Amino acid sequence: MRYQIHFEQELPAEVLRRLLHEDYGISPDTIHVGRIEARAVEGAAADGNVRVVHALEPITGEPDLAVVPPPEWARDW
């Protein structure tokens, strides 16, 4: 099963892992702390299901990869 837990304030990852392990017996190595989108991409990349078609800035060793600026809404992030 997968669960998403959102907090209203920052909580150090190691504290979260320790609490979930102590209170619920959840193994710390099964707990992902971070953006969900990043986890999905990492998993797909590990499976070989991701192909980069453009980048936000040039990548060394990939001279043919198109460089595309971020959309207007994302430029301030």
Side-chain angles (χ1 to χ4, degrees):
M1 289 188 143
R2 292 184 182 184
Y3 296 93
Q4 294 179 21
I5 303 172
H6 300 273
F7 298 93
E8 292 185 10
Q9 60 186 19
E10 271 197 43
L11 178 67
E14 291 309 312
V15 172
L16 174 63
R17 287 186 176 101
R18 182 174 44 85
L19 291 172
L20 290 174
H21 180 67
E22 290 173 358
D23 293 350
Y24 301 101
I26 299 171
S27 176
D29 61 340
T30 62
I31 300 168
H32 170 75
V33 178
R35 294 184 59 144
I36 295 169
E37 297 86 2
R39 178 71 180 240
V41 170
E42 289 169 5
D47 293 339
N49 295 327
V50 172
R51 183 172 65 91
V52 177
V53 294
H54 66 267
L56 300 177
E57 58 187 43
I59 297 176
T60 305
E62 295 291 338
D64 297 328
L65 187 61
V67 176
V68 178
E72 186 66 37
W73 61 266
R75 292 187 184 171
D76 293 338
W77 292 22

